[in-house]
Amino acid sequence: MKKIFITLISFFACALMVSAQSTKVKVLIDNDFCGDPDGLFALAQQALCPTTDIVGIVGGHLKDNAGFTTRKDQATESVENANALLNVMGLKGKYKVVTGAESGMTSADKPIESEGARLIIAEAKKCSPDKPLFVTCGAALTNVASALLIDPSISKNIVIVWIGGQEYSFGAVPPPGYSTVEYNLNLSIPAGQVVFNKSDVRIWQIPRDVYRQCLYSTAEMHAYVKPCGKLGAYLSNSIDKVIDTCEKFGIAMGETYIMGDSPLVLLTSLQSGFEADPSSSFWHPTPCPIIDNNGLYQPNPSGRIIRVYTQIDTRLMFGDLIARLQANAKK
């Protein structure tokens, strides 16, 4: 009887350990779902990762005349689009989906109050430096910057994974016809200044030359994504609509589309099991630069070290996406 009792105790102890380890990372998703549909791909893939605890989704803004939408309430539209995708997945209501700021910050000293900023603060307070909240930002940094200004104490408990910023001197050359300030940073330069210049938060940055590595063939999308049930068709059609619109305005899109937000999933949900880290992607330890009022990097040799990714594992990232879409379609 004693042996049976000890065996049962050991069994339940092991079960509790497995349960405790079942969630690898806590993620709060902040993206402009009213804009480029690559954010919808990232949201779908992250929601299909069972060991990821998505503690909230924040709808972000673009700018007036951004091209993807004519609406002024862009954060509200982002929430609507995120909920529409979750509804297709049968997940509507599972997550907190709230609006962030409807426009970019105008000053690095003035936060913009929003449900999104408050949610970031609330969830960051539940975390710790050793078990941080990953705030994945696929567009402007407005909401997380506002959260840091409202409550600076949360900085130690979060890691910002950001798709944005132009190339560094050790990176690739800029693309032809490039803008001096990268698109996402230009959505709110003051927000970038808060995160880079005024805070001590940990930053994992995926700059323009790296997120442009995420080229996905439209032929592959139609062959492997579109057949994956309602979700696959929904995602594929969202890209097709953008391509068709661009073509009507004389922008030749060719045979590929940049899935630039997908590294947000790769670097958080797809970390290695032992010695957890995005171990198949490469980064350069970089003193955090100062972002000036024009949105340009200024050298800051004494700045804290941030991760600037130089190469990402697109094989793992896209292979995982297709495998999850195929498995989901069979349910």
Side-chain angles (χ1 to χ4, degrees):
M1 186 69 181
K2 185 178 180 180
K3 289 183 178 179
I4 294 174
F5 180 77
I6 292 173
T7 301
L8 286 171
I9 291 295
S10 299
F11 172 81
F12 285 118
C14 290
L16 286 172
M17 288 177 65
V18 170
S19 177
Q21 294 170 353
S22 62
T23 298
K24 289 284 291 180
V25 293
K26 286 185 177 291
V27 172
L28 189 145
I29 299 168
D30 182 354
N31 216 326
D32 58 347
F33 301 110
C34 62
D36 190 340
D38 64 340
L40 296 177
F41 274 74
L43 174 57
Q45 186 175 5
Q46 200 129 52
L48 291 173
C49 292
T51 64
T52 301
D53 183 8
I54 299 175
V55 299
I57 299 168
V58 179
H61 67 83
L62 294 171
K63 275 188 170 182
D64 290 343
N65 304 314
F68 289 100
T69 179
T70 58
R71 286 174 57 170
K72 301 291 185 182
D73 58 340
Q74 295 169 353
T76 300
E77 185 180 6
S78 288
V79 166
E80 293 170 2
N81 290 347
N83 277 326
L85 173 66
L86 294 172
N87 188 46
V88 171
M89 299 179 71
L91 298 176
K92 189 173 182 180
K94 181 176 180 179
Y95 307 113
K96 297 176 185 175
V97 186
V98 301
T99 55
E102 294 286 7
S103 61
M105 296 173 65
T106 58
S107 167
D109 298 317
K110 296 179 180 179
I112 299 179
E113 287 273 358
S114 69
E115 287 184 87
R118 286 295 176 187
L119 182 59
I120 292 170
I121 293 169
E123 293 299 332
K125 285 180 174 292
K126 299 175 186 177
C127 296
S128 68
D130 293 334
K131 295 183 178 179
L133 173 66
F134 287 90
V135 182
T136 61
C137 299
L141 290 167
T142 300
N143 298 313
V144 70
S146 294
L148 287 165
L149 285 177
I150 294 168
D151 189 345
S153 71
I154 67 170
S155 66
K156 63 183 181 298
N157 291 350
I158 65 177
V159 175
I160 296 175
V161 186
W162 181 45
I163 306 293
Q166 51 271 12
E167 299 76 9
Y168 284 79
S169 59
F170 50 80
V173 298
Y178 70 95
S179 58
T180 305
V181 181
E182 183 271 336
Y183 182 88
N184 285 345
L185 176 55
N186 200 41
L187 291 173
S188 182
I189 292 172
Q193 291 176 314
V194 172
V195 171
F196 279 70
N197 306 358
K198 298 175 68 101
S199 79
D200 60 356
V201 71
R202 284 170 283 182
I203 302 172
W204 294 3
Q205 183 182 5
I206 304 94
R208 177 170 54 193
D209 57 316
V210 180
Y211 70 68
R212 283 173 58 83
Q213 293 173 16
C214 304
L215 275 179
Y216 196 63
S217 160
T218 53
E220 286 183 290
M221 183 176 66
H222 293 148
Y224 301 123
V225 175
K226 194 165 189 173
C228 292
K230 291 182 179 179
L231 176 58
Y234 188 90
L235 292 172
S236 181
N237 290 341
S238 71
I239 298 295
D240 287 337
K241 288 176 183 177
V242 172
I243 291 175
D244 289 345
T245 300
C246 289
E247 296 282 352
K248 288 176 182 176
F249 282 92
I251 303 172
M253 296 295 288
E255 303 292 341
T256 62
Y257 199 88
I258 299 174
M259 299 297 186
D261 286 350
S262 292
L264 298 173
V265 186
L266 175 71
L267 301 184
T268 55
S269 295
L270 302 182
Q271 295 187 15
S272 55
F274 296 108
E275 300 173 334
D277 202 59
S279 58
S280 60
S281 297
F282 305 148
W283 57 279
H284 192 284
T286 306
C288 186
I290 298 293
I291 294 178
D292 67 22
N293 290 335
N294 295 315
L296 303 179
Y297 303 142
Q298 298 301 328
N300 181 25
S302 62
R304 69 192 186 282
I305 297 299
I306 66 173
R307 291 190 182 196
V308 178
Y309 276 85
T310 57
Q311 184 175 333
I312 56 171
D313 187 350
T314 55
R315 189 224 61 82
L316 171 61
M317 185 175 73
F318 288 135
D320 178 83
L321 169 67
I322 299 307
R324 293 188 190 280
L325 289 175
Q326 290 175 344
N328 182 70
K330 294 177 182 177
K331 290 181 179 179

